[in-house]
């Protein structure tokens, strides 16, 4: 493999660091020196400069990096940096040393190295060859570049979503043309997980929502003596809007996220690639059963939510407004037309298709 010219300093720096850390003098006595805790790095002022000692490594530098600016500099023009007592040096210590040299340069002083091992000198020279003598900062992205990248990413996701919808529609059309391709066992399993198992939470939230709607309208209706019209309020709001919406939200939280997690895990573990290798279409096995099952379960859950919501409204109307259950149901039949009920039920399959497609799509994008 051919390396570029810019890789040569980095490789030389790595080699120098390995040499500086492995071939240090205190490692000649065997395992005892190697396992002993490293002596901390220190700087001691001298008559003509600074004396460095200890392990100038990531483990030995300790708090010296934070106290570097408080190190006393001798009053000489040429500061001698004595490294004869430095036991080990790596890139972390070399960066700290470069900071010290930069401080001397800012004060108008010159520096001279003395007693440094050749392997340490090579690493220091390589670290000092950078333009700033410090870790390179991450480049800042211009605002228009960020907007452009965000736009390209959004368009890419939209294109991928449209492609996924097209492939799913094609697979669904093939299954309708050839019903033997439909896998009923996964469909029934998903109906149970997305529908039957969701009955408690859907019923509870719909019942409470019906109570809240009736309670909020009770004060206004009492002022005009129109208590009986609470049936209109609860019936129209629950059957047409609230029941399909709250059911879809619950299904998105339970089933949509579960679809994304399941398919995403299979994608990471390469199970989907194994399906394609065996000639088993992932859309037929993973996507279509979920879409069909949720389109079956969500309308049924919506009907169940309608019943629970109306029951909650009836209870609050009886408690707050004194409207009996019989009067409430008689008014409900008059207020709610079949078209209103069918509009609410008709929203459920649309919500189901959106939830299943988005969940499966995000799973494949993992």
């Amino acid at each position: 493999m051919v390396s570029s010219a810019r890789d040569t300093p980095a490789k030389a720096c790595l080699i120098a660091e390995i040499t500086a850390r492995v071939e240090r003098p205190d490692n000649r006595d065997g395992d005892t020196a190697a396992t002993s805790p490293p002596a901390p790095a220190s700087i001691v002022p001298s008559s003509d400069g600074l004396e460095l000692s200890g392990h100038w490594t990531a483990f030995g530098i300790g708090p010296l990096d934070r106290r570097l600016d408080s190190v006393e500099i001798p009053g000489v023009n040429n500061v001698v940096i004595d490294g004869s007592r430095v036991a080990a040096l790596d890139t972390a210590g070399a960066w700290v040393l470069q900071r010290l040299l930069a401080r001397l340069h800012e004060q108008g002083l010159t520096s001279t190295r003395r007693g440094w091992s050749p392997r340490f000198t090579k690493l220091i020279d390589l670290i000092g060859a950078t333009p700033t003598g410090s870790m390179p900062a991450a480049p800042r992205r211009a605002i228009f570049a960020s907007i452009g990248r965000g736009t390209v990413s959004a368009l890419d996701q939209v294109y991928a979503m449209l492609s996924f919808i097209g492939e799913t529609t094609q697979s669904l059309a093939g299954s309708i043309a050839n019903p033997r391709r439909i896998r009923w066992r996964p469909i029934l399993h998903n109906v149970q997980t997305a529908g039957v198992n969701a009955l408690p939470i859907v019923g509870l939230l719909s019942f409470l929502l019906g109570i809240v709607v009736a309670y909020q309208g009770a004060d206004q209706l009492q002022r005009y003596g129109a208590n009986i019209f609470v049936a209109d309020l609860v019936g129209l709001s629950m059957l047409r809007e609230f029941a399909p919406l709250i059911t879809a939200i619950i299904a998105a939280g339970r089933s949509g996220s579960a679809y994304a997690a399941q398919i995403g895990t299979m994608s990471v573990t390469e199970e989907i690639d194994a399906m394609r290798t065996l000639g088993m279409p992932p859309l037929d096995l993973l996507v279509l059963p979920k879409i069909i099952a949720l389109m079956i379960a969500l309308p049924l859950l919506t009907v169940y939510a309608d019943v629970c919501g109306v029951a909650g409204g009836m209870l609050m109307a009886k408690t707050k407004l004194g409207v009996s259950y019989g009067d409430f149901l008689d008014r409900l039949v008059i207020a709610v037309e079949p078209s209103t009920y069918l509009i609410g039920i008709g929203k459920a399959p649309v919500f189901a298709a959106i939830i299943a497609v988005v969940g499966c799509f995000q799973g494949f994008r993992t």
Side-chain angles (χ1 to χ4, degrees):
M1 182 179 295
V2 180
S3 300
S4 60
R6 69 180 64 180
D7 294 336
T8 304
K11 292 182 179 178
C13 180
L14 179 60
I15 294 172
E17 178 181 348
I18 293 174
T19 304
R21 298 185 66 178
V22 174
E23 297 182 0
R24 58 179 184 262
D26 62 348
N27 199 25
R28 296 175 182 174
D29 297 333
D31 295 337
T32 303
T35 57
S36 60
S42 64
I43 303 177
V44 178
S46 62
S47 59
D48 59 349
L50 300 172
E51 293 182 359
L52 280 59
S53 62
H55 288 67
W56 283 66
T57 62
F59 293 101
I61 204 71
L64 180 62
D65 186 23
R66 296 188 295 271
R67 296 187 288 103
L68 193 63
D69 295 336
S70 61
V71 174
E72 182 180 354
I73 306 298
V76 294
N77 293 329
N78 185 23
V79 180
V80 178
I81 309 296
D82 189 352
S84 58
R85 299 176 59 187
V86 174
L89 179 72
D90 64 1
T91 50
W95 285 118
V96 175
L97 181 58
Q98 287 299 324
R99 284 184 52 200
L100 177 61
L101 297 177
R103 178 188 170 189
L104 296 177
H105 180 72
E106 291 175 356
Q107 295 179 0
L109 303 176
T110 59
S111 61
T112 304
R113 292 198 296 263
R114 181 177 64 190
W116 288 90
S117 171
R119 58 183 180 274
F120 294 164
T121 302
K122 187 175 182 180
L123 179 59
I124 294 172
D125 292 339
L126 287 171
I127 296 297
T130 57
T132 60
S134 59
M135 292 296 289
R140 294 183 178 180
R141 291 183 176 180
I143 182 171
F144 293 107
S146 300
I147 294 174
R149 290 188 181 92
T151 303
V152 171
S153 177
L155 292 177
D156 177 69
Q157 187 161 3
V158 170
Y159 176 77
M161 172 65 83
L162 293 177
S163 301
F164 182 77
I165 293 174
E167 294 175 0
T168 304
T169 304
Q170 184 179 2
S171 179
L172 180 61
S175 298
I176 294 175
N178 186 10
R180 290 180 299 178
R181 294 176 51 184
I182 301 177
R183 291 168 170 79
W184 294 105
R185 182 172 296 180
I187 291 176
L188 295 177
H189 174 73
N190 284 283
V191 168
Q192 178 181 359
T193 57
V196 178
N197 295 345
L199 288 175
I201 184 65
V202 170
L204 176 62
L205 291 182
S206 300
F207 182 79
L208 295 177
L209 188 60
I211 291 177
V212 170
V213 171
Y215 180 79
Q216 292 295 326
D219 291 337
Q220 301 298 326
L221 294 174
Q222 279 181 331
R223 295 180 181 181
Y224 301 99
N227 296 0
I228 191 61
F229 290 105
V230 68
D232 300 59
L233 178 63
V234 173
L236 293 175
S237 60
M238 288 299 303
L239 272 64
R240 183 165 183 162
E241 301 295 341
F242 286 155
L245 182 60
I246 194 65
T247 306
I249 292 173
I250 296 172
R254 293 185 71 260
S255 303
S257 58
Y259 295 164
Q262 178 188 3
I263 297 177
T265 303
M266 297 178 67
S267 179
V268 171
T269 56
E270 299 182 354
E271 295 180 53
I272 295 178
D273 296 334
M275 289 182 182
R276 294 192 178 99
T277 302
L278 296 174
M280 304 168 63
L283 292 179
D284 292 352
L285 292 174
L286 301 176
V287 178
L288 289 185
K290 293 177 172 57
I291 295 177
I292 295 174
L294 199 59
M295 292 182 69
I296 294 173
L298 204 60
L300 298 177
L301 284 175
T302 302
V303 175
Y304 176 68
D306 291 338
V307 175
C308 294
V310 171
M314 289 174 56
L315 178 63
M316 181 54 61
K318 175 69 174 179
T319 304
K320 186 75 174 177
L321 299 175
V323 178
S324 64
Y325 298 146
D327 295 338
F328 187 95
L329 292 176
D330 291 339
R331 181 61 192 177
L332 182 67
V333 173
I334 298 173
V336 179
E337 298 179 355
S339 60
T340 302
Y341 176 73
L342 294 177
I343 289 175
I345 298 298
K347 294 178 181 179
V350 179
F351 291 158
I354 295 174
I355 293 169
V357 169
V358 171
C360 295
F361 170 73
Q362 294 298 333
F364 280 105
R365 295 276 289 185
T366 303

